[in-house]
């Protein structure tokens, strides 16, 4: 018998008053995968995780985790998952070590065993040095690490991460990405939500784009980037009257997309394409107010997929 997927959600609907937070969401996560749910504020990401982790009940549709129905077998589901929420769950007045030992004890470990598990996780999440300081003294990145460590006390096989790097500085963000990959390499299945295309690109094996509670696109990060054109070169001619001439000059390189006086064209070779664009514009005598390379964002994905920004 083949093993069921780690997550199988079908046509999930969830309304809060007049708000349709989920509107027929489908989602599958295979064992060992990192799946990124990408969507703007209010897309339904947290609601989806809440249903999968048995904190909310769907109005209709069904969801299974590791083959267990979230409505009929919530205890079996909870035994296999960890949820690191968008907002911190650790007790700020306690140290990281105290938080970890507390959770381990709540999960039924004996004191010595609980302390050993705490040491293991402190080490894994690079918190050993700060282990005996209250969490309220931690930086944002350390807090987030403590939060994930606490959620892993029970050694789950599926981890839900709700916007793991929102609000983190670039260095903490890189550190978090490394840790998520290490968890995957250790056999964990990860379902994460994010508002950043770059994050989904760096981490996810597969990306599911969600808007207004439903999936509007799905695929590997590369396939998604192909759809939105990958890195773009953006050019703003000094005079608006030169936009057409600029488009003609640049068409030797690629067909530009024009919006609000700015020309965008695919630049898969990065700086090389930028240099070529400068050369073409210069040869055509077009003066440029601004020219730059830009990596696609969530807004670009939405613009291409839905015709409107996120
Ligand atoms: N408990 C609730 N009561 C009322 N409305 C809710 C509740 N939870 C979510 N919503 C609404 O449902 C929609 C989806 O919310 P959800 O939190 O799932 O979005 P999200 O994708 O996680 O957004 P964000 O990126 O801001 O975290 C939003 O319009 C939100 O206001
Ligand atoms: Mg959310």
């Amino acid at each position: 018998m083949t093993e069921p997927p780690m997550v199988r959600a079908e046509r999930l609907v969830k309304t809060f008053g007049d708000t349709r937070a989920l509107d027929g969401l489908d989602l599958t996560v295979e064992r060992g995968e990192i799946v990124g749910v990408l969507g703007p504020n209010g897309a339904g990401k947290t609601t989806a995780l809440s249903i999968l982790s048995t904190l909310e009940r769907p109005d209709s549709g069904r969801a299974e985790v590791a083959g267990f129905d979230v409505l009929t077998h919530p205890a079996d589901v909870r035994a296999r998952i960890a949820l690191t929420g968008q907002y911190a769950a650790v007790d700020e007045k306690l140290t990281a070590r105290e938080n970890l030992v507390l959770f381990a004890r709540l999960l039924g470990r004996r004191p010595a065993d609980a302390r050993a598990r705490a040491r293991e996780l402190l080490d894994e999440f690079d918190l050993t040095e700060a282990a005996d300081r209250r969490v309220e003294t931690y930086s944002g990145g350390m807090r987030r690490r403590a939060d994930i460590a606490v959620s892993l006390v029970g050694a789950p096989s599926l981890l839900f991460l709700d916007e793991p790097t929102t609000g983190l500085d670039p260095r903490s963000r890189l550190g978090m990405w490394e840790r998520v990959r290490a968890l995957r390499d250790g056999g964990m299945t990860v379902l994460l939500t994010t508002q950043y295309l770059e994050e989904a690109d760096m981490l996810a094996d597969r990306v599911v784009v969600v808007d207004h509670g439903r999936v509007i696109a799905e695929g590997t990060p590369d396939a998604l980037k192909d759809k939105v054109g990958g890195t773009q070169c953006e050019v703003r001619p000094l005079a608006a009257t030169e936009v057409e001439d600029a488009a003609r000059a640049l068409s030797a390189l690629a067909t530009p997309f024009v919006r609000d006086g700015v020309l965008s064209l695919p630049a898969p070779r990065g700086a090389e394409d930028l240099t070529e664009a400068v050369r073409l514009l210069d040869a055509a005598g077009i003066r440029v107010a601004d020219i730059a390379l830009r990596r696609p964002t969530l807004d670009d994905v939405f613009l291409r997929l839905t015709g409107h920004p996120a």
Side-chain angles (χ1 to χ4, degrees), residues 201 204-207 218-226:
D201 182 21
D205 302 307
R206 209 152 47 76
V207 181
E218 182 169 358
T220 62
D222 279 345
L224 204 61
K225 280 190 300 179
D226 280 350

Side-chain angles (χ1 to χ4, degrees), residues 90-150:
V90 291
D91 187 333
E92 304 224 314
K93 297 289 176 201
L94 299 181
T95 69
R97 192 191 307 279
E98 287 166 344
N99 269 290
L100 288 164
V101 171
L102 178 70
F103 271 83
R105 294 282 288 140
L106 287 173
L107 289 173
R109 289 188 189 237
R110 292 171 182 286
D113 191 26
R115 282 196 301 274
R117 180 70 181 138
R119 265 196 306 277
E120 227 169 72
L121 286 163
L122 288 166
D123 182 52
E124 195 177 329
F125 284 84
D126 207 8
L127 289 167
T128 301
E129 238 169 82
D132 299 305
R133 258 168 47 204
R134 286 187 185 193
V135 170
E136 64 188 358
T137 68
Y138 286 12
S139 70
M142 290 164 76
R143 259 171 217 239
R144 205 64 63 87
R145 296 206 305 271
D147 231 14
I148 297 181
V150 163

Side-chain angles (χ1 to χ4, degrees), residues 141-165:
M142 290 164 76
R143 259 171 217 239
R144 205 64 63 87
R145 296 206 305 271
D147 231 14
I148 297 181
V150 163
S151 75
L152 293 178
V153 166
S157 40
L158 170 62
L159 174 62
F160 296 125
L161 287 174
D162 200 3
E163 301 197 19
T165 69

Side-chain angles (χ1 to χ4, degrees), residues 45-47 86-87 162-163 193:
K45 303 182 296 295
T46 299
T47 305
Q86 197 166 357
Y87 308 102
D162 200 3
E163 301 197 19
T193 72

